[in-house]
Amino acid sequence: MDLTTLYRTVIMDNYKNPKNKGLKRTDDYHFVHLNNPSCGDDMNVEILMKDGRLEEIHHDGHGCSICCSSASVMSETLKGKTVEEAMTVIHDFYELVKGENPKDEEALGEAIAYVGVRDFPARIKCATLSWKAVEQAILEVEHERK
Ligand code: ZN
């Protein structure tokens, strides 16, 4: 299996069988909604922070396969990470899909599958929508804590 096929498999698996999908919307969770009008993607993300770590990350939404699968991969990749670790991975993911070099490719895990997005600039917003949502959620929780 070549890398392109492997990456396509990761994306399709997460699209067909998304992980951490479905919201709780209880008071413990911080919720963010973002959309991407250029593609019609609509994404909700909620996070539960515990002891400075992302204890739970849930997503729900609709849109293209890149957007929906990416939300699943994002939730799996960032779950359990500290705020600092998560922020590094989030920004590395932005670098990856823009065609720049991520600082720590290993920490990206399955998210590395989106490397091909760099060849389709119109899809960058699809790939990053859930990551932008989780980033905003983390920043808002951090802001509230201070
Ligand atoms: Zn899309």
Side-chain angles (χ1 to χ4, degrees):
M1 198 191 282
D2 64 23
L3 266 184
T4 312
T5 311
L6 175 70
Y7 290 165
R8 199 179 302 130
T9 305
V10 168
I11 292 170
M12 286 320 290
D13 280 354
N14 279 279
Y15 181 56
K16 287 186 192 141
N17 301 302
K19 296 171 184 113
N20 307 304
K21 187 169 177 170
L23 304 176
K24 296 252 191 293
R25 292 305 303 264
T26 57
D27 289 345
D28 307 346
Y29 282 85
H30 190 87
F31 170 83
V32 167
H33 167 248
L34 288 181
N35 65 348
N36 168 24
S38 64
C39 180
D41 301 321
D42 193 273
M43 186 52 63
N44 300 299
V45 168
E46 66 176 19
I47 59 170
L48 176 68
M49 300 284 295
K50 200 178 168 194
D51 304 327
R53 283 180 190 274
L54 287 150
E55 175 96 347
E56 297 286 349
I57 307 171
H58 300 137
H59 60 94
D60 203 1
H62 55 87
C64 65
S65 57
I66 297 284
C67 175
C68 293
S69 64
S70 181
S72 169
V73 171
M74 175 279 290
S75 64
E76 280 292 286
T77 306
L78 299 182
K79 207 168 146 180
K81 293 216 170 3
T82 65
V83 168
E84 200 179 331
E85 289 165 349
M87 283 304 185
T88 305
V89 176
I90 290 167
H91 286 104
D92 265 357
F93 185 72
Y94 298 158
E95 297 293 307
L96 178 81
V97 296
K98 276 191 300 186
E100 309 288 335
N101 291 321
K103 287 190 198 78
D104 186 355
E105 280 197 12
E106 203 130 307
L108 279 168
E110 283 200 322
I112 201 87
Y114 294 85
V115 66
V117 172
R118 59 180 62 184
D119 298 326
F120 305 93
R123 311 308 297 278
I124 292 176
K125 279 188 183 165
C126 303
T128 56
L129 188 65
S130 62
W131 297 74
K132 298 265 181 203
V134 79
E135 181 186 18
Q136 188 181 320
I138 294 168
L139 291 173
E140 285 176 4
V141 170
E142 285 295 285
H143 186 74
E144 280 169 15
R145 221 163 48 93
K146 279 171 191 152

